[in-house]
Amino acid sequence: MEILKIIGTFFIQPTVWLVTILMFVIYNQRVKKERQAFRTAVDSDFYEGRHAIKVGILFGIIGSVILFGTGTMIPMNWVLIYTICMIAGLLLYPLFNSIYPLFLISGLIYGMLEWQPSNTIVLKNEAFQPEFLTGILLVGTLSLLITGIALHLFRKSQLSPSTQTGKRGRNISSFKMKELYLIPLVVLVPGNQFHSVFDWWPLIRVAGTEYNVIILPLIIGLTLRIYKELPKLAIGFIKKQYLYLAVVNACLAIISAFYPIAGIIGLVILLIAYLGDRYVIKRHDNKQEKWFAESDEGILIVGVRPETPAAKMDVEVGDVVIQCNGINVRNENELYKALESSSTYCRLKIKTFSGDTKITESAIFSDSPYEIGLVIIK
């Protein structure tokens, strides 16, 4: 019964509902924009939700075990400040696409308000303890680790393409990944603040100390925009950047356990490091030589629909189709005419994004050349 109560407290939190609603909004916007630009959705599957469920369940369990195993305590005052920051961030998420800085800002607000106990303004019956900042930093470490691992797990997922006109008048494509993850972390909050207001709220006692048991909705926002590098390579680079930042976060958490003032300083360092990291990621993409631009040699592929002949032929984003069934092709109409020359079989000559040439072939849907699964730049 107590477990059901704990789970119930998670689903009544406003951030949980906001994240759920935003997942559907992000999915609908992606599919709508793809259909407007390419007359078809690259992937009509609600993978945003599927990814969120996998990440939430897996890392909710792992993260809760880590926090309990390290004896991490989270202050109620910070939980309230964090919730307010997350609500504001989620409402504005379509505009600035960033969640982690708000996590750091919530920690800074808490640290500055609570460093002197007399300045407590949220819950006057919660005494400030310096190790609380260590707990906040540990949660931040989990956030970055989960982001990096999620990028690794879903590195083969397609990014949503969009097309715009370049400076030379040619159409160029960019690729976007936008997902939200909700990680349910079971944490201990010293005191009985919630239980004193809601007598049904779960409360446990350990060595004579009372703790509220809550499930903290750790929110992770993952937004990427790639212009000049193959998405799978760009994701690999970005993953490493998040994992490097997680190591820095973890080191600052350890230092703060011995030097409490390092907790606040560490949050400032992490905020600056995160902004610097975003700059490094953007600069890395800008340094690449090629754009995903229309080609005079053939047809640029900006997406491959799952479970189609093109997916079976291992056609990738950035490939340029030069020939189809032995016929040179330069545009969409020529491609489909070439496909009609063989109603059940397709053989493609392709120039990869790196400049290599490959030949690939597969059976196709009889009398349905338009179902080959290629998404072409327009």
Side-chain angles (χ1 to χ4, degrees):
M1 189 63 180
E2 293 298 317
I3 294 177
L4 293 177
K5 288 181 180 179
I6 295 173
I7 295 173
T9 60
F10 175 73
F11 288 104
I12 64 174
Q13 298 184 61
T15 50
V16 173
W17 290 98
L18 276 174
V19 169
T20 304
I21 292 170
L22 273 175
M23 285 180 190
F24 283 99
V25 171
I26 292 170
Y27 163 70
N28 285 323
Q29 287 180 342
R30 172 179 64 82
V31 172
K32 182 179 179 180
K33 288 180 179 179
E34 289 176 357
R35 286 174 176 165
Q36 288 176 342
F38 308 104
R39 299 198 301 271
T40 184
V42 177
D43 191 347
S44 58
D45 178 37
F46 182 34
Y47 60 71
E48 290 89 348
R50 178 160 46 82
H51 290 175
I53 291 172
K54 289 182 179 179
V55 171
I57 293 175
L58 175 63
F59 293 105
I61 295 172
I62 295 174
S64 298
V65 170
I66 291 173
L67 293 178
F68 264 81
T70 55
T72 301
M73 296 181 295
I74 302 297
M76 183 59 66
N77 286 12
W78 174 75
V79 172
L80 296 177
I81 295 170
Y82 167 80
T83 300
I84 294 170
C85 288
M86 289 301 106
I87 290 174
L90 291 170
L91 291 175
L92 297 174
Y93 187 63
L95 298 178
F96 63 88
N97 301 330
S98 194
I99 295 294
Y100 179 70
L102 291 175
F103 173 89
L104 298 175
I105 290 171
S106 71
L108 282 171
I109 293 173
Y110 169 78
M112 289 185 292
L113 291 176
E114 298 277 9
W115 188 256
Q116 297 179 353
S118 60
N119 288 340
T120 301
I121 63 171
V122 183
L123 292 171
K124 296 183 180 298
N125 62 340
E126 182 185 56
F128 173 75
Q129 300 180 39
E131 59 265 29
F132 285 163
L133 291 173
T134 301
I136 294 171
L137 285 169
L138 284 174
V139 174
T141 301
L142 286 176
S143 175
L144 293 169
L145 281 173
I146 292 169
T147 303
I149 296 172
L151 282 169
H152 177 75
L153 292 175
F154 306 130
R155 64 191 182 280
K156 295 183 179 180
S157 299
Q158 292 203 68
L159 276 62
S160 180
S162 61
T163 302
Q164 54 274 337
T165 303
K167 294 180 180 179
R168 299 182 180 179
R170 289 190 174 189
N171 289 332
I172 59 174
S173 282
S174 60
F175 302 89
K176 185 176 183 179
M177 180 181 189
K178 187 172 185 178
E179 297 191 8
L180 279 172
Y181 305 134
L182 185 65
I183 316 299
L185 295 177
V186 181
V187 298
L188 295 178
V189 178
N192 63 352
Q193 296 93 335
F194 278 176
H195 186 76
S196 62
V197 178
F198 308 103
D199 57 4
W200 49 267
W201 198 282
L203 187 70
I204 64 173
R205 290 178 176 82
V206 179
T209 303
E210 294 181 331
Y211 296 92
N212 293 289
V213 181
I214 69 168
I215 301 181
L216 177 73
L218 178 62
I219 300 167
I220 298 174
L222 183 54
T223 302
L224 310 174
R225 173 74 76 174
I226 299 167
Y227 290 92
K228 300 175 67 176
E229 187 175 23
L230 284 174
K232 62 181 180 181
L233 298 179
I235 288 175
F237 176 79
I238 296 168
K239 174 193 70 176
K240 291 179 181 178
Q241 296 303 114
Y242 273 101
L243 294 178
Y244 292 153
L245 196 57
V247 172
V248 174
N249 198 324
C251 291
L252 290 170
I254 295 171
I255 294 171
S256 71
F258 300 95
Y259 305 98
I261 189 62
I264 293 179
I265 296 174
L267 290 166
V268 175
I269 292 173
L270 287 169
L271 185 58
I272 296 172
Y274 175 81
L275 296 176
D277 195 51
R278 300 298 293 186
Y279 171 77
V280 169
I281 291 171
K282 185 175 180 179
R283 187 169 180 268
H284 174 80
D285 187 52
N286 289 336
K287 286 173 62 178
Q288 307 305 312
E289 296 181 356
K290 295 181 64 176
W291 292 86
F292 293 92
E294 288 179 307
S295 173
D296 293 329
E297 298 180 81
I299 302 168
L300 176 65
I301 305 303
V302 296
V304 180
R305 298 178 62 194
E307 300 179 3
T308 60
K312 295 177 182 178
M313 288 189 285
D314 199 28
V315 180
E316 297 182 338
V317 168
D319 285 348
V320 174
V321 178
I322 301 172
Q323 288 185 355
C324 176
N325 294 332
I327 302 171
N328 292 337
V329 292
R330 296 292 181 271
N331 55 53
E332 187 176 15
N333 289 334
E334 291 181 358
L335 172 65
Y336 290 125
K337 285 182 181 179
L339 285 170
E340 288 173 351
S341 67
S342 177
S343 60
T344 60
Y345 194 76
C346 174
R347 187 172 190 268
L348 299 177
K349 182 178 180 181
I350 289 173
K351 183 178 180 180
T352 66
F353 193 71
S354 60
D356 299 325
T357 300
K358 67 179 181 181
I359 305 294
T360 184
E361 52 193 11
S362 172
I364 61 174
F365 302 122
S366 178
D367 300 322
S368 300
Y370 289 89
E371 297 299 323
I372 189 174
L374 295 174
V375 181
I376 299 167
I377 190 170
K378 296 183 184 295

